[in-house]
Amino acid sequence: MDLQKLVRMANQIAANLDCGDEETTVAAVADHLRRFWTPLMLDELADGFESGEAELCDAAARAVERLVTQRRAGTA
């Protein structure tokens, strides 16, 4: 899938789930991505994030970072 499309979708999810509390928003975005995105979509977004190619908003970036950490630890 196109990285820019994934970025746009992740940023839209973050905007839609923004509740005014950043930590709650990050948790909600991470949960949404984990539950509804395929592993391939997550891998592509994580790779783009880690390489600096993905221009994610703060909440989406923190959510992706959290998922990457959890996946590496085997807890996601």
Side-chain angles (χ1 to χ4, degrees):
M1 191 168 221
D2 178 46
L3 176 60
Q4 294 311 313
K5 185 173 183 178
L6 294 173
V7 168
R8 186 175 64 251
M9 290 189 315
N11 286 337
Q12 287 174 335
I13 291 164
N16 287 331
L17 296 177
D18 186 356
C19 63
D21 175 62
E22 188 172 354
E23 188 55 37
T24 302
T25 300
V26 170
V29 173
D31 181 60
H32 180 92
L33 295 177
R34 183 177 32 258
R35 290 177 29 193
F36 298 110
W37 283 34
T38 67
L40 179 59
M41 292 168 71
L42 291 172
D43 288 344
E44 288 183 33
L45 185 60
D47 289 346
F49 171 73
E50 291 180 326
S51 71
E53 294 177 56
E55 294 182 27
L56 295 166
C57 68
D58 289 342
R62 287 186 55 209
V64 171
E65 187 173 37
R66 182 176 293 181
L67 288 174
V68 168
T69 301
Q70 290 173 348
R71 291 176 84 197
R72 285 183 180 153
T75 59

